[in-house]
Amino acid sequence: MSVTCFPSPGVLLVHQNNAPQLATPVGFDRLRDAGFSEEDIREIRLRFHRAHGITADENSAEARNLEDEWIDNSNETLADGSLQGTYKEMMWGLLLGFFLGLICLFWFRESVFTRRHQMGIVAGIFINLSFGILHVYY
């Protein structure tokens, strides 16, 4: 309900807004706008809750807020607040691990590398060691 006052004395209009308000979708319900079916959304929600160990009611506000947070931050941060990184960073980590090897491990535990950088470095070191072992024995 809104009240409108006009400059002339004694005129007061009252408007009632009876139009239905559309609630903005929250959580994985936002995927409906992208063309997902109800069954797809239910399956995604089930897997998300199972993977994150959420035992609360699926329709609770807390669960929807976690879904929203995961959708909005899925490429930026992990649950512990550290940066996740991109696949490009993972490839750079792979190259660093392959060519620099153990030198990268000096900075591995520092906040220098993102999570995907670290995964790439470890994979690069293993590939380098594998090639070394193959070279020695074959």
Side-chain angles (χ1 to χ4, degrees), residues 30-83:
R30 296 185 334 191
L31 297 175
R32 267 190 215 101
D33 296 338
F36 284 83
S37 69
E38 290 295 326
E39 183 179 324
D40 293 338
I41 294 171
R42 187 174 32 253
E43 182 65 29
I44 291 170
R45 183 169 282 137
L46 179 67
R47 288 182 186 206
F48 174 79
H49 288 247
R50 190 179 311 139
H52 288 84
I54 299 172
T55 57
D57 181 25
E58 288 184 5
N59 295 323
S60 69
E62 180 184 345
R64 296 289 195 248
N65 288 337
L66 286 173
E67 293 171 3
D68 269 338
E69 184 179 330
W70 183 78
I71 289 173
D72 294 338
N73 297 325
S74 63
N75 288 332
E76 297 172 8
T77 58
L78 296 172
D80 63 355
S82 62
L83 291 175

Side-chain angles (χ1 to χ4, degrees), residues 1-3 14-17:
M1 177 165 40
S2 64
V3 177
V14 177
H15 302 283
Q16 288 190 351
N17 188 2

Side-chain angles (χ1 to χ4, degrees), residues 119-130:
M119 290 170 33
I121 289 169
V122 169
I125 290 172
F126 281 131
I127 291 171
N128 190 343
L129 290 174
S130 299

